[in-house]
């Protein structure tokens, strides 16, 4: 159809070649960007940890491997079990940002802290646990960050109760056998 496409066959071929080359370059770059996240595995440093309720330390951390991140990543640290109550015994923010800057080497030296606060109280109670699971990685993968051939995707944190048990005391009462009733003072402290 004359005049429908104003370019000569050579120009049309050249234009199509440029469009094709740009499309291929974009398609090749996309898997490469996704492959970057595979080079930055994230896992918990250990399977379990604990600390006294008043201290609230020794919290779980995330190991990250694979060197420096070009773009910050994130992973969700989701509460998936345990007998501790969120809001009462602890608070946490699920999403943990893996920042750019450090050269992540899968060791504690470049570990990333999770967002966890232990709430102290004065109630004597049993030790309480929080079970965490890694989910929803963005820009990183859940994998073997420290190259020990084991990927630690879960963590159980125990809040060790440090409150004294209440004491019960009953005052002594002396009466004769003939007394029909006696009064006692009972104290709970």
């Amino acid at each position: 159809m004359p005049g429908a496409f104003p370019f000569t066959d050579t120009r049309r071929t050249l234009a199509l070649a440029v469009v094709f080359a740009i499309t291929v370059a974009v398609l090749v770059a996309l898997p490469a960007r996704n492959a970057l996240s595979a080079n930055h595995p994230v896992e918990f440093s250990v399977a379990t940890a604990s600390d006294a309720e008043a201290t609230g330390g020794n919290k779980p951390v995330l190991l990250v491997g694979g060197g420096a991140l070009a773009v910050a990543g994130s992973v969700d640290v989701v509460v998936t079990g345990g007998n501790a109550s969120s809001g009462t015994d602890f608070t946490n923010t699920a999403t943990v940002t893996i920042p750019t800057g450090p050269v992540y080497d899968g060791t504690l030296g470049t570990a990333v802290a999770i967002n966890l606060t232990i709430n102290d109280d004065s109630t004597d109670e049993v030790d309480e646990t929080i079970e965490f699971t890694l989910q929803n990685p963005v820009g990183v993968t859940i994998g073997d960050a420290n190259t020990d051939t084991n990927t630690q995707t879960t963590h159980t944190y125990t809040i060790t109760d440090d409150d004294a048990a209440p004491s019960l005391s009953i005052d002594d009462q002396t009466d004769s056998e003939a007394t029909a009733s006696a009064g006692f003072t009972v104290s709970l402290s």
Side-chain angles (χ1 to χ4, degrees), residues 175-181:
D175 270 318
S176 67
E177 290 181 20
T179 305
S181 63

Side-chain angles (χ1 to χ4, degrees), residues 3 33 47 53 61 78 104 160:
R33 183 168 195 267
E53 176 178 68
V61 295
V78 179
Y104 295 107
T160 306

Side-chain angles (χ1 to χ4, degrees), residues 34-43 63-65 69 73-75 98 134 136-145 151 153:
N34 291 338
L36 288 177
S37 67
N39 294 329
H40 292 92
V42 175
E43 67 178 323
L63 300 179
V64 182
L69 287 167
S74 66
V75 65
I98 313 297
L134 296 177
N136 308 318
V138 175
V140 295
T141 58
I142 297 170
D144 185 12
T151 300
T153 61

Side-chain angles (χ1 to χ4, degrees), residues 71-84:
V71 177
S74 66
V75 65
D76 290 345
V77 178
V78 179
V79 176
T80 54
N83 62 343

